[in-house]
Amino acid sequence: MTVWSTPANPSCEAQPQDRTTNLATLLPEPGGSTFFVVRFPPDSVMSSIDHEAAGAEQARELPGLADTFDPRRPGFHATPSIDYVIVLEGELCLELEEGEPVRLRRGDIVVQNGTWHAWHNQTGSVAVIAAISLGASKV
């Protein structure tokens, strides 16, 4: 669910408009932002779903973001953004390109800086994160 989005060089408007209703992509342009909430079902549920249908749903629900996934490595993606992520509910495992996976629980905060990563829910319950992505230029 997309909560809010701002363009590059946002301004405080007297009557702000909800830009989330016609976003072509969740990926903010450099200087812009997107605030969204994502629910992660357990991996056991994900392994038994129709992956073609799930891919179509991801493209519809996560426009632009779905295009960043690496088809050779399930769940791995990197975005041209700095992301502030807060675990709101449940528990997730954050897998990075290098190093050991990190287990995150409710209240934990992560900052991603354009890094390759994947989220895994190895529990039996849904996990929920809130993320604010700040559009950045690639160096």
Side-chain angles (χ1 to χ4, degrees):
M1 166 182 70
T2 307
V3 178
W4 199 251
S5 177
T6 62
N9 302 313
S11 60
C12 293
E13 302 166 2
Q15 295 181 344
Q17 296 181 1
D18 183 356
R19 291 177 175 84
T20 64
T21 57
N22 60 3
L23 280 181
T25 178
L26 287 179
L27 302 176
E29 61 188 313
S33 70
T34 306
F35 177 24
F36 53 97
V37 176
V38 180
R39 297 175 59 83
F40 292 88
D43 286 353
S44 60
V45 171
M46 294 300 290
S47 65
S48 64
I49 63 170
D50 176 345
H51 291 283
E52 190 173 317
E57 182 178 351
Q58 273 188 332
R60 189 175 57 256
E61 297 297 322
L62 303 171
L65 182 61
D67 298 334
T68 66
F69 284 87
D70 184 338
R72 298 164 295 164
R73 299 185 299 171
F76 266 91
H77 62 287
T79 57
S81 59
I82 299 167
D83 306 320
Y84 305 140
V85 180
I86 303 167
V87 180
L88 299 177
E89 182 180 322
E91 186 175 296
L92 286 168
C93 184
L94 173 59
E95 185 178 358
L96 301 171
E97 197 167 27
E98 298 176 6
E100 292 295 315
V102 177
R103 184 161 308 282
L104 300 168
R105 293 176 177 83
R106 190 175 91 181
D108 287 343
I109 299 171
V110 173
V111 177
Q112 292 284 75
N113 194 0
T115 54
W116 280 97
H117 65 284
W119 299 98
H120 299 286
N121 181 351
Q122 300 170 336
T123 73
S125 303
V126 170
V128 181
I129 63 169
I132 299 169
S133 292
L134 305 175
S137 301
K138 288 189 175 186
V139 178

